[in-house]
Amino acid sequence: MTEITRGRALLGSDFIDIGSSSQVVHKLDTRVPRQDRTAHEAAFGVVTAGLEPNWLDQQVRAIALTGRGGAHFPVATKWRAAQQADVGGWTLVVNASEGEPASGKDAALLQLRPHLVLDGAELAASMIGADRVVIWLADEARATLQSLRSALAERRSGLTRAPEIVTTPERYLAGESSAVIRAVHGGPPLPRTTMNPAQPWAGGPPVLVHNVETLARLGLLARTGSRSFEPSSLVTVTDGDRRFVAEVPAGETFSELFERAKVPVPQAVLLGGYGGEWVGWSELALLAVDPHALKEAGRSLGAGVLIALGRFDCGLEMTASIAHWLADQSAGQCGPCRFGLPEVVELVSRLAGRRAGQRDLDRLHEKMALVDGRGACRLPDGALRMIRSALREFAAEINDHRYGRCLQQEQGR
Ligand code: SF4
């Protein structure tokens, strides 16, 4: 089981190049081979049949395994809630939609290590007594779909519950868990406008949603146990035209990762994804790339997305373009997205375009306060979090822009 002891156990490689597109990852770096079932079992071994559920639960608690889709909710707590709900007919969803456009880690896992994810899905389904497993991914993710279909064909005999693959048009919100549950119940893949947080599936059969990386980690943990489990984090890094997935060993700092990956020192990093936060490099460089360490520092790794802002790029322009994209992804179901977010985005564009004065800035703060916390899903709050972090991080640039200048871009010429 050489892969497990190499220190980068999930991907077995330092960096996976996934191309510059900010859309679904169609094709990965072909130098890294896909593991078929034989290679998978040679690398990781076979999960012991009839693994004791209490033992697995203890291992999950011992390593504090949290969801890697962005929310970092403890896996053991989700399982406990499902077990205590005392209902039958559970569906486990493998959420592979990866609606966060800068992310590619889940596609990388499904294209290179599909069997590790299937092992994790099988284990999680057993833990909650699910009789149905659904793999949820974007229509456009053709290479991922092909890898999954091959993996399912390779282990037709080895799965207790044959997973169904269900695809959906690619959208930011298609991976939001209430949208996934709604779709599994036969509705549109849109976030719920009303939801009982204790029973998010209410109104249909019970559903539990796990992210792909979470399940791959579970598949690994079932072999190693907590004592030999090597913690790591999967991140997708975007640096100008380059985009890659990296598996970062525990304790490695952002500065060490960027140096190892030959990413030039940035001004700031958008940490966590489009709904994340801009963090200045001076603060981030010496922090560990680890969800637990970042939480202690008051930050979040989110969906593991790191967008590096080059030294001569304008953070306000990038903020405005991401805010536009987010507003376009809204389903327009709720007031904040219909009436508030478009004006917020227009005001941010004015700031970026050097057309804003103090009045616009005041209006932006007022408008954001009205939108805050009022949507059915996290999209508007995520957009506001990202914009607020830009107002803090790029305060000097806002001032320059008011006088019609952008020193970052002028220095880069
Ligand atoms: S808050 Fe916006 S994006 Fe979220 S469900 Fe409502 S309208 Fe859709």
Side-chain angles (χ1 to χ4, degrees):
M1 294 197 277
T2 51
E3 303 268 352
I4 290 179
T5 55
R6 282 181 48 185
R8 295 194 173 85
L10 281 182
L11 286 176
S13 173
D14 281 352
F15 306 112
I16 310 285
D17 184 0
I18 58 171
S20 60
S21 160
S22 64
Q23 295 303 310
V24 169
V25 178
H26 296 293
K27 207 161 186 298
L28 297 178
D29 186 339
T30 46
R31 287 168 301 178
V32 182
R34 172 186 177 279
Q35 257 177 359
D36 63 13
R37 187 177 180 184
T38 309
H40 165 72
E41 288 180 359
F44 295 104
V46 180
V47 179
T48 315
L51 208 64
E52 177 53 45
N54 279 342
W55 177 84
L56 188 58
D57 190 60
Q58 280 165 12
Q59 307 314 302
V60 162
R61 287 171 192 278
I63 66 159
L65 181 63
T66 55
R68 298 299 177 115
H72 296 276
F73 197 76
V75 168
T77 307
K78 269 191 171 185
W79 288 352
R80 178 60 54 88
Q83 287 153 355
Q84 289 178 344
D86 199 23
V87 286
W90 280 91
T91 297
L92 177 91
V93 177
V94 179
N95 189 358
S97 65
E98 212 163 23
E100 176 67 53
S103 180
K105 69 183 177 62
D106 294 339
L109 279 170
L110 285 170
Q111 291 182 37
L112 302 175
R113 302 285 182 266
H115 289 283
L116 207 49
V117 181
L118 292 178
D119 287 342
E122 179 80 359
L123 289 161
S126 301
M127 291 302 286
I128 61 163
D131 42 38
R132 186 179 174 215
V133 174
V134 168
I135 303 174
W136 176 251
L137 82 164
D139 288 331
E140 294 84 349
R142 284 179 287 279
T144 303
L145 193 58
Q146 195 183 342
S147 169
L148 266 171
R149 285 198 176 124
S150 305
L152 291 175
E154 284 158 10
R155 57 195 293 170
R156 198 157 275 144
S157 58
L159 289 165
T160 317
R161 308 153 190 84
E164 301 157 43
I165 298 176
V166 181
T167 63
T168 178
E170 187 201 354
R171 274 191 82 83
Y172 184 71
L173 293 170
E176 210 264 352
S177 61
S178 78
V180 176
I181 294 172
R182 206 168 160 191
V184 169
H185 286 171
L190 296 173
R192 282 219 164 122
T193 48
T194 53
M195 193 174 79
N196 174 358
Q199 291 191 340
W201 68 85
V207 181
L208 185 85
V209 182
H210 274 318
N211 161 264
V212 161
E213 184 191 341
T214 314
L215 292 170
R217 290 189 182 279
L218 187 62
L220 197 57
L221 179 67
R223 272 106 171 171
T224 62
S226 58
R227 290 204 179 157
S228 309
F229 188 83
E230 290 195 24
S232 66
S233 295
L234 281 191
V235 292
T236 315
V237 183
T238 302
D239 157 32
D241 284 344
R242 188 173 159 222
R243 197 158 66 119
F244 59 88
V245 174
E247 184 166 3
V248 187
E252 184 165 279
T253 62
F254 285 87
S255 164
E256 287 163 342
L257 168 66
F258 277 34
E259 197 178 320
R260 190 161 62 85
K262 300 191 171 43
V263 175
V265 172
Q267 287 178 59
V269 170
L270 181 55
L271 179 65
Y274 279 16
E277 288 187 304
W278 287 107
V279 186
W281 185 245
S282 56
E283 176 188 338
L284 200 60
L286 296 180
L287 292 176
V289 187
D290 171 83
H292 303 291
L294 284 168
K295 191 173 175 194
E296 277 174 25
R299 299 291 184 184
S300 170
L301 191 58
V305 169
L306 312 178
I307 301 175
L309 182 72
R311 292 206 73 75
F312 303 117
D313 292 334
C314 174
L316 292 171
E317 277 182 10
M318 195 174 301
T319 298
S321 111
I322 293 174
H324 260 291
W325 189 90
L326 285 171
D328 279 351
Q329 292 293 307
S330 154
Q333 300 184 112
C334 316
C337 276
R338 280 213 301 275
F339 308 116
L341 205 50
E343 192 182 344
V344 167
V345 170
E346 168 54 26
L347 289 163
V348 174
S349 297
R350 290 180 70 80
L351 277 183
R354 303 170 220 177
R355 292 178 284 120
Q358 186 58 45
R359 232 199 243 173
D360 295 298
L361 201 51
D362 294 343
R363 177 80 183 145
L364 175 59
H365 285 289
E366 262 170 45
K367 225 31 208 179
M368 288 198 294
L370 291 174
V371 171
D372 233 354
R374 295 206 167 83
C377 76
R378 57 193 160 87
L379 183 144
D381 288 350
L384 297 192
R385 182 168 44 244
M386 191 270 300
I387 293 168
R388 285 203 172 100
S389 69
L391 298 183
R392 285 192 303 271
E393 196 53 45
F394 308 123
E397 285 82 345
I398 291 173
N399 210 27
D400 294 339
H401 279 211
R402 278 165 61 183
Y403 295 100
R405 303 190 66 186
C406 180
L407 293 187
Q408 295 305 125
Q409 292 179 340
E410 285 170 22
Q411 282 167 14
R413 279 186 206 125

